[in-house]
Amino acid sequence: MAREFTSDDHGKNVVTGDGDRLGTVSEVREGRAHVERDENASLTDKVKSMLGWNDSDDTHELQQDHVDRVDENEVRLRQP
């Protein structure tokens, strides 16, 4: 991803490279996106490891280098 996250990214769906929804961008601060994970989202160990996320938190910071692309509706992650 070539750009920092902006306030325009607030509310966008965050999906895996396969299109599975993980959550929503709940906040953008200083170019960093914070994702509120869907309670029904199933994260594989591979995805959790790539993102550095664990099961104990509901909100996680999303690193730009994990993002494949951002369009008007979603943030799509790279394949792990």
Side-chain angles (χ1 to χ4, degrees):
M1 183 175 146
R3 67 168 180 84
E4 287 188 342
F5 294 104
T6 69
S7 60
D8 291 339
D9 297 321
H10 182 267
K12 290 184 180 180
N13 293 323
V14 177
V15 299
T16 65
D18 294 329
D20 296 325
R21 182 181 151 93
L22 298 180
T24 305
V25 176
S26 60
E27 182 178 18
V28 177
R29 282 183 292 188
E30 299 176 6
R32 293 186 300 244
H34 297 267
V35 178
E36 185 172 329
R37 207 170 94 195
D38 287 349
E39 62 183 59
N40 297 330
S42 174
L43 293 178
T44 65
D45 288 338
K46 200 174 197 180
V47 171
K48 284 192 272 190
S49 176
M50 176 187 85
L51 297 173
W53 293 3
N54 59 47
D55 291 328
S56 64
D57 296 324
D58 292 332
T59 303
H60 305 278
E61 186 173 321
L62 182 60
Q63 302 294 318
Q64 292 174 352
D65 57 342
H66 296 134
V67 175
D68 180 41
R69 69 180 183 272
V70 178
D71 63 29
E72 63 185 55
N73 298 316
E74 70 181 20
V75 175
R76 184 169 292 262
L77 303 178
R78 296 183 188 278
Q79 293 285 4

